[in-house]
Amino acid sequence: MLAKLIVQVADRLRLACQSEPESHIGRLEESQFAVIVPYAERERLERFANMLVEVLGRPYWLGQKMLPGVAAVIGIVKRPQHGTSSDRLIARADIAMRVAKSGRKGAVGFFHPDMERHLLERMQLEQDLRHALETGEGLFVFYQPIMDVSSGRVSTREALVRWYRPLWGWVSPASFVPIAEETDLIRHLGAFVLKRACSDALHWEDSARVAVNISGRQFGRQSLVPAVMETLRETGLPAERLEIEITETAALSEDADVLADLHRLHAMGVRLSLDDFGTGYSSFSHLRTFHVDKIKIDGSFVRDMVERAECASVVKAAADIGKRLGIPVVAECVETEEQFRSIVFEGCTEAQGYLISTPKPTAQDVVTINVLNGSEGDASFVKGNEMDIYFSCSVRLREIYKK
């Protein structure tokens, strides 16, 4: 089937190139082609490339079966500005193609020298992350408490991975987690956080649950459930104290293997939390697709609910659903007292955000982190045996609860 599709793609490219005198077309790999045209005007190149994307995006007939069009992605280079050898030009066209592909399906991208620099930086970042996962050096797990609004006590702590890269400093998770998800590193990163979180939770005197984010790419590969089972066995943490936060990426999938993982985790006693609730078009359908033990309202609604009535309505709707289902509803990104009062008024049962506490390391990591930060007096971290991260909320919230 694929071979026949490739033949039709090649035929369409050949016909399209007939309108361009002195153009040449060749096949580089199974589904990758190169086209050479004898001009370099940007507008003309872009117009021609977009035409190819449109032509290749039309449906294909293979026998009696119609297949959807191909989402072609095209990278464009110019000779001699971007190189003179075919190897250099092809390599840089590939870079432009990868950048364009990261933006959207069916895209056209022109090579720029900055792209090559960014690619090299990304490759180095991936290499350094791989080394960190192999050695454990520079990787930490911070915890951000989730508070029960009726009692002011911590019900759960969300485990958040942090990475200190030697010579570079702290790297934002927004920079390295996507790289891990695009490679095999996400499995190792997920295993590191899961094991560390379960081990740390054993020492919490309040026996709060620990929440671990699992990437959608970890589901449905026959490895997640065995890894969870092995971690619980090794650490001795009861399954009911582990909470798996499911991202929209995982929840949107209706793949049988993904759903099987979710059902097996629930059968083990592991709690399932639906994260970023309200952002996906089928968020409500997830509540009947698999068992959900908690709903976490996306922080964008919480941040804007004071000024925007529609956001407050979403928060209220989610809170009402949780009440009907008898499950907790967490408001994320609670940063002000006004937001806190609003989410309580709308019916949310739990809250998470900087008003309550920033993510903090465990006491055992504080000394190392202070050394990395070059300061022994960094007030943003837990010091010594001080256990505010475990047992209390912010000073201001304590005052609110005393009133």
Side-chain angles (χ1 to χ4, degrees):
M1 182 74 73
L2 178 60
K4 293 180 179 179
L5 177 61
I6 294 297
V7 169
Q8 289 201 24
V9 168
D11 287 340
R12 291 190 186 185
L13 285 173
R14 191 179 299 110
L15 287 172
C17 289
Q18 286 179 358
S19 62
E20 300 293 332
E22 301 182 35
S23 62
H24 301 276
I25 180 173
R27 186 179 178 187
L28 301 178
E29 296 179 6
E30 183 176 59
S31 59
Q32 194 173 78
F33 295 82
V35 178
I36 301 175
V37 292
Y39 50 83
E41 296 86 353
R42 183 183 178 93
E43 290 185 3
R44 189 175 177 184
L45 287 169
E46 189 169 16
R47 187 167 55 250
F48 177 57
N50 284 324
M51 182 269 290
L52 294 180
V53 169
E54 192 276 327
V55 167
L56 297 177
R58 298 170 186 168
Y60 294 81
W61 282 97
L62 298 181
Q64 300 298 314
K65 188 174 183 180
M66 186 179 76
L67 298 180
V70 173
V73 183
I74 299 176
I76 301 174
V77 292
K78 298 180 181 181
R79 183 181 184 277
Q81 295 98 313
H82 301 144
T84 55
S85 69
S86 58
D87 288 343
R88 176 62 63 86
L89 290 168
I90 290 173
R92 289 181 166 174
D94 187 70
I95 292 173
M97 181 187 70
R98 290 174 184 272
V99 173
K101 187 176 182 179
S102 66
R104 65 185 189 279
K105 292 182 178 180
V108 175
F110 285 81
F111 175 79
H112 188 279
D114 284 346
M115 293 179 178
E116 198 163 42
R117 177 173 56 82
H118 290 317
L119 178 63
L120 292 173
E121 290 175 353
R122 183 197 179 284
M123 292 172 63
Q124 186 62 54
L125 190 67
E126 178 184 339
Q127 182 178 324
D128 291 350
L129 179 59
R130 190 177 299 275
H131 175 75
L133 287 167
E134 291 172 354
T135 63
E137 297 175 2
L139 285 173
F140 302 91
V141 176
F142 284 26
Y143 296 92
Q144 186 174 34
I146 299 173
M147 186 189 74
D148 182 281
V149 300
S150 63
S151 65
R153 295 187 61 83
V154 173
S155 65
T156 313
R157 294 181 187 87
E158 182 178 358
L160 301 167
V161 65
R162 295 293 184 264
W163 178 30
Y164 185 91
R165 187 183 178 198
L167 305 179
W168 294 85
W170 294 98
V171 183
S172 169
S175 297
F176 69 85
V177 171
I179 291 177
E181 289 184 326
E182 294 170 12
T183 64
D184 65 322
L185 297 180
I186 191 60
R187 181 168 58 89
H188 302 291
L189 185 62
F192 166 79
V193 176
L194 179 66
K195 186 171 183 178
R196 177 66 190 272
C198 290
S199 298
D200 288 341
L202 281 177
H203 303 291
W204 297 342
E205 294 183 17
D206 60 357
S207 299
R209 292 183 294 274
V210 63
V212 178
N213 292 280
I214 298 296
S215 167
R217 294 180 179 272
Q218 293 178 261
F219 283 94
R221 298 189 176 186
Q222 288 79 49
S223 59
L224 176 60
V225 174
V228 172
M229 293 177 65
E230 180 65 15
T231 300
L232 293 175
R233 186 190 66 79
E234 285 185 3
T235 61
L237 185 74
E240 59 270 18
R241 287 191 60 197
L242 174 62
E243 196 169 277
I244 298 296
E245 292 198 359
I246 309 156
T247 62
E248 282 294 297
T249 306
L252 283 170
S253 173
E254 296 183 359
D255 184 271
D257 291 334
V258 173
L259 294 177
D261 277 353
L262 294 171
H263 291 308
R264 289 180 64 190
L265 288 170
H266 172 66
M268 289 165 51
V270 175
R271 294 170 61 88
L272 301 178
S273 175
L274 186 58
D275 200 8
D276 301 331
F277 188 80
T279 58
Y281 69 91
S282 59
S283 288
F284 292 92
S285 69
H286 301 154
L287 301 177
R288 60 183 181 136
T289 303
F290 57 90
H291 181 90
V292 175
D293 296 289
K294 179 181 288 185
I295 294 172
K296 296 190 73 176
I297 305 172
D298 186 73
S300 61
F301 297 107
V302 176
R303 277 193 296 265
D304 295 337
M305 66 180 297
V306 175
E307 291 79 21
R308 298 177 60 182
E310 63 270 28
C311 291
S313 297
V314 172
V315 173
K316 178 175 174 54
D320 288 344
I321 290 173
K323 184 177 181 180
R324 288 178 177 274
L325 295 177
I327 59 177
V329 175
V330 183
E332 296 184 293
C333 300
V334 178
E335 299 174 350
T336 68
E337 291 180 38
E338 194 171 8
Q339 290 171 352
F340 180 75
R341 286 192 290 267
S342 296
I343 63 107
V344 173
F345 176 79
E346 298 297 356
C348 295
T349 55
E350 297 185 351
Q352 180 180 14
Y354 282 13
L355 178 66
I356 296 149
S357 176
T358 58
K360 296 179 180 179
T362 59
Q364 69 189 49
D365 286 335
V366 171
V367 174
T368 301
I369 289 172
N370 283 336
V371 170
L372 293 175
N373 287 338
S375 170
E376 299 240 348
D378 193 329
S380 66
F381 297 121
V382 184
K383 302 299 186 297
N385 293 320
E386 183 181 338
M387 305 301 282
D388 280 356
I389 183 176
Y390 293 156
F391 301 117
S392 65
C393 310
S394 71
V395 174
R396 179 55 187 151
L397 274 178
R398 279 182 244 165
E399 294 175 358
I400 292 174
Y401 272 88
K402 287 179 181 178
K403 292 180 179 179

